[in-house]
Amino acid sequence: MTLRLCCAWIFILLIPSLSDGGKLLVVPMEGSHWLSMKPVVEKLTERGHEVVVLTPEVSWTVRNTGQYKMKSYPVSYTVEELDNAFHDYVAAHLKGLPFPLNVLVLYNSAVHVFSTFFVHCKELFSNKETLQYLNQSGFDAVLTDPIFMCGATLANYLALPFVFFMRGLPCNLHYTATQCPSPLSYTPRTFTFNSDRMTFFQRVENALVSLLELVYCNGYYEDALTLSSEVLQRDVSLIDLLNSASVSLLRYDFVFEYVRPVMPNMIFIGGINCAQRKPLSKIMVKHKYRVEMGRINLK
Ligand SMILES: *[C@@H]1O[C@H](CO)[C@@H](O)[C@H](O)[C@H]1NC(C)=O
């Protein structure tokens, strides 16, 4: 009897669909972010995992190619609204205004982009049918690009482990949330254009910018914080949302960044951007040469 039971178990374990793949919920980010994530999703499906990509019905780039499952939900905005917000954002970068006007204009346009794109998340959480489907599907984990915090909120809501697939977050958040040492004397902050070798005054500037980091992301993520506090029914901070990520897969290369300590669950996968390589066109080669010369001149 015991032997027969044992054989039955071995037989069950040998059935590939029961012993192999996991069930993964993917919460992607629009645009170029999705271009790097898509091959990963396709590969995971190919390897026998059950992958479901969750996406708003209105999207620039996320399409059903038949190589993975998709679950979409209706949203109230149009593609034109996304286009307009993004055009304003790009235009703000090209205005070339003097300091501090440039900072204000860039900040406001970023806040506008964040709130326009974040509407999809509010509408996801007001869609009972989709939430019920997600809760009942028995996913093992969530893979998400954290830039809009929707995937992190959803993973917290469904109490699932989550993995980040990302380029970076504003305000040094991906280093703060993972508790990386980040000494102000050596790690230059975004917008300062300092290097890891700073003069005394550059270090002072770095320290001042790092103080702003505590504030300006609360502006970018105001809607996300309100929504996640509502759905998780507690006061949520950005760090709360981010710090329980199991692994962060970082889509950039260590050698292109300033040298800084990172935690063991932060893994550099910059090579993934070159998965679909093609030779550079002549114009690009010329441009690349100029950029390199520029860098040499800067030194
Ligand atoms: C998911 O469904 C279970 C059982 O139906 C329920 O107890 C739980 O509260 C639901 N969770 C969420 C986040 O909706």
Side-chain angles (χ1 to χ4, degrees):
M1 183 63 195
T2 345
L3 187 68
R4 228 188 275 165
L5 207 65
C6 179
C7 286
W9 268 114
I10 289 176
F11 178 73
I12 288 171
L13 289 175
L14 285 177
I15 301 173
S17 62
L18 286 182
S19 54
D20 266 7
K23 213 170 163 185
L24 186 70
L25 175 64
V26 176
V27 187
M29 154 64 187
E30 262 299 352
S32 58
H33 292 232
W34 171 242
L35 298 183
S36 312
M37 199 184 220
K38 189 167 160 257
V40 176
V41 168
E42 287 171 353
K43 198 72 181 176
L44 287 168
T45 310
E46 200 183 298
R47 289 191 180 169
H49 300 285
E50 196 180 332
V51 184
V52 177
V53 178
L54 180 69
T55 177
E57 270 170 12
V58 175
S59 166
W60 281 333
T61 45
V62 186
R63 305 258 177 281
N64 199 349
T65 60
Q67 277 157 297
Y68 39 81
K69 278 195 199 164
M70 262 186 44
K71 171 76 187 167
S72 56
Y73 54 93
V75 282
S76 60
Y77 54 81
T78 60
V79 170
E80 287 73 34
E81 283 171 58
L82 296 186
D83 287 351
N84 289 341
F86 195 69
H87 281 157
D88 290 351
Y89 178 70
V90 174
H93 282 78
L94 299 178
K95 268 185 189 151
L97 293 170
F99 181 85
L101 269 183
N102 58 347
V103 176
L104 281 175
V105 169
L106 290 183
Y107 178 74
N108 284 334
S109 72
V111 169
H112 180 56
V113 160
F114 271 80
S115 69
T116 308
F117 278 80
F118 195 70
V119 171
H120 79 271
C121 197
K122 290 186 194 165
E123 298 191 339
L124 167 66
F125 277 98
S126 58
N127 187 323
K128 294 252 155 54
E129 186 267 322
T130 307
L131 288 181
Q132 201 172 8
Y133 159 83
L134 293 172
N135 188 23
Q136 286 171 357
S137 296
F139 289 106
D140 297 309
V142 175
L143 175 71
T144 185
D145 186 308
I147 191 77
F148 285 130
M149 307 276 163
C150 195
T153 303
L154 186 61
N156 276 289
Y157 175 76
L158 298 170
L160 290 174
F162 53 108
V163 174
F164 286 153
F165 183 88
M166 64 195 286
R167 173 61 185 87
L169 287 169
C171 309
N172 216 38
L173 278 172
H174 48 309
Y175 296 113
T176 320
T178 42
Q179 298 186 320
C180 295
S182 193
L184 284 169
S185 307
Y186 302 101
T187 51
R189 293 318 206 246
T190 318
F191 301 132
T192 61
F193 304 104
N194 292 334
S195 81
D196 55 337
R197 293 188 184 186
M198 289 176 258
T199 62
F200 175 74
F201 286 107
Q202 285 174 331
R203 286 178 186 186
V204 172
E205 179 193 30
N206 216 38
L208 292 177
V209 170
S210 83
L211 285 178
L212 283 180
E213 281 173 350
L214 301 174
V215 189
Y216 78 85
C217 268
N218 287 338
Y220 288 168
Y221 290 115
E222 196 181 336
D223 289 353
L225 286 173
T226 310
L227 180 74
S228 50
S229 299
E230 204 178 293
V231 300
L232 302 176
Q233 296 177 7
R234 55 185 160 88
D235 262 347
V236 173
S237 71
L238 289 172
I239 302 295
D240 292 335
L241 275 183
L242 298 170
N243 68 4
S244 42
S246 307
V247 177
S248 297
L249 302 172
L250 303 168
R251 251 183 329 102
Y252 56 86
D253 205 295
F254 190 72
V255 296
F256 294 142
E257 300 289 314
Y258 294 111
V259 179
R260 61 184 305 159
V262 292
M263 286 297 172
N265 65 341
M266 299 169 74
I267 299 160
F268 292 93
I269 53 159
I272 209 148
N273 296 326
C274 310
Q276 296 169 355
R277 73 187 77 181
K278 283 185 197 154
L280 283 175
S281 70
K282 272 192 186 136
I283 289 178
M284 289 302 287
V285 170
K286 225 167 157 187
H287 182 67
K288 181 170 165 271
Y289 178 70
R290 252 194 245 133
V291 170
E292 275 165 8
M293 289 305 286
R295 233 182 243 157
I296 290 163
N297 287 344
L298 280 178
K299 273 181 197 166

